[in-house]
Amino acid sequence: MSQTRPRIGVIGTGAIGGFYGAMLARAGHDVHFLLRSEYEAVMAHGLRVESAVHGSLALQSVQACRDVAEMPACDWLLVCAKTTSNAELAPLIARAAAPAARVVLLQNGLGVEDALRPLLPEGLHLLGGLCFICVHRAEPGVVVHEALGSINFAYHSGPGDEARAAVEEAVGLFGSAGIEASGMPSLDQARWQKLVWNAPFNGLAVLLDSGTEGLLGHPESRALVKAVMDETLGAAAACGHALPADLPEKMLFGTSRLPNYLPSMYHDFTHGRPLELEALYTTPLAAAARAGYAMPKTAMLLQALRFLEDRRRSGR
């Protein structure tokens, strides 16, 4: 792995990949984007980020390809596609990775690294990246960044004894691009912590057709958000990952101070894309059940989302 100027690959150049990839490129890093449906638009007009935090950022000359065979071997691979496509992404990751590359899953949910690890070459290092950001894709090649943007990194697996070094490198890499980044000692605990926010807001945004402002603005929906948060907090503790007891209240307060935000699952449902039910609900519910902890409201939320997705697929 090059220590002077590592080459960075972005797999999944949607809202997350577009934002972080553009920020790294703006900072002078050698960033390559794997694009498919947005390739023509990006090559014609560049990649643009409209950020309420960093201002307007336009990359006119984008190092992009639409076939992984055209991508040079990368020291870092940022996997920003949805977890629903991870099995199909594994061969692309293996093809684009340089020896001993750092593969970072900038994805939501629990157990995503566990599921992907057996599909990757043993020589690659696998990390999780937990993004705390309000961002969405407005149109092909255009990303709107509304608030936040920090990332927590934690190590999953890889050869040798490089966990600490890999996390420190990730923090330094993103920090050099003006992105607040920190290392976490436990990947599972970090993912449970993120899930305390993701589990209620993603699913309820779909079911109630509402952004964060509406969900927190009505006493009944706010109570339901809090209840799912509390269940997730309890499940994390039952699985051996105790989190601060006041985390739900802090998240509720922090979210109330943000602009009205529509979570990623809302956009997936609106645009007819598969929902990340496995990573956000099925896997955490199974882990909680193995630990002897019940999550009835979260289970009901999953059942309702499955109904909506199945009805959409069948056209009835």
Side-chain angles (χ1 to χ4, degrees):
M1 179 176 176
S2 171
Q3 297 299 316
T4 54
R5 191 168 183 254
R7 182 178 290 133
I8 304 165
V10 178
I11 296 180
T13 310
I16 293 292
F19 172 76
Y20 289 112
M23 290 290 289
L24 288 163
R26 183 181 74 165
H29 292 288
D30 183 15
V31 183
H32 296 257
F33 298 86
L34 180 62
L35 295 162
R36 292 189 176 177
S37 61
E38 300 194 13
Y39 179 83
E40 298 293 346
V42 170
M43 294 309 293
H45 307 292
L47 178 62
R48 192 169 86 247
V49 176
E50 298 297 340
S51 173
V53 179
H54 304 284
S56 182
L57 166 61
L59 295 182
Q60 299 300 333
S61 180
V62 181
Q63 298 185 112
C65 59
R66 51 183 160 191
D67 188 328
V68 71
E70 302 169 4
M71 180 175 276
C74 296
D75 303 300
W76 288 86
L77 283 174
L78 311 181
V79 181
C80 310
K82 297 294 183 180
T83 58
T84 51
S85 61
N86 276 5
E88 292 75 25
L89 291 177
L92 307 185
I93 295 170
R95 173 65 179 77
R102 275 72 163 132
V103 179
V104 187
L105 302 190
L106 299 181
Q107 298 177 323
N108 289 326
L110 189 69
V112 291
E113 292 83 9
D114 292 340
L116 186 61
R117 177 75 263 184
L119 306 178
L120 298 179
E122 293 182 359
L124 301 183
H125 297 273
L126 185 59
L127 297 85
L130 293 304
C131 306
F132 296 85
I133 188 170
C134 297
V135 66
H136 70 275
R137 181 174 52 187
E139 59 184 86
V142 180
V143 174
V144 176
H145 173 218
E146 298 155 87
L148 306 177
S150 66
I151 304 183
N152 289 339
F153 292 102
Y155 192 80
H156 181 270
S157 57
D161 185 20
E162 298 189 39
R164 181 174 178 179
V167 170
E168 289 177 351
E169 289 166 11
V171 170
L173 182 67
F174 279 75
S176 71
I179 299 163
E180 182 183 347
S182 59
M184 299 285 283
S186 167
L187 178 57
D188 285 340
Q189 184 165 12
R191 288 210 167 276
W192 274 110
Q193 178 176 316
K194 181 77 184 295
L195 200 62
V196 173
W197 193 96
N198 273 323
F201 280 108
N202 273 279
L204 290 173
V206 173
L207 290 180
L208 302 181
D209 189 22
S210 177
T212 54
E213 187 176 283
L215 292 174
L216 295 182
H218 192 281
E220 296 294 341
S221 55
R222 184 185 180 96
L224 188 52
V225 168
K226 177 63 162 55
V228 176
M229 282 185 163
D230 288 341
E231 283 189 354
T232 309
L233 193 77
C239 292
H241 304 290
L243 299 169
D246 61 349
L247 181 61
E249 286 297 342
K250 286 185 175 179
M251 286 185 167
L252 289 171
F253 176 75
T255 304
S256 70
R257 297 175 63 86
L258 296 174
N260 184 42
Y261 180 61
L262 293 167
S264 59
M265 188 173 286
Y266 182 94
H267 293 287
D268 290 339
F269 184 77
T270 300
H271 292 93
R273 296 188 290 260
L275 305 183
E276 295 183 286
L277 301 183
E278 182 76 21
L280 288 180
Y281 299 104
T282 306
T283 299
L285 281 165
R290 289 193 298 270
Y293 185 86
M295 303 175 71
K297 289 184 171 60
T298 307
M300 186 178 294
L301 182 54
L302 172 60
Q303 289 171 317
L305 291 167
R306 281 178 174 160
F307 169 80
L308 288 179
E309 188 160 56
D310 290 346
R311 183 174 67 177
R312 183 180 63 186
R313 287 173 180 168
S314 66
R316 296 197 297 268

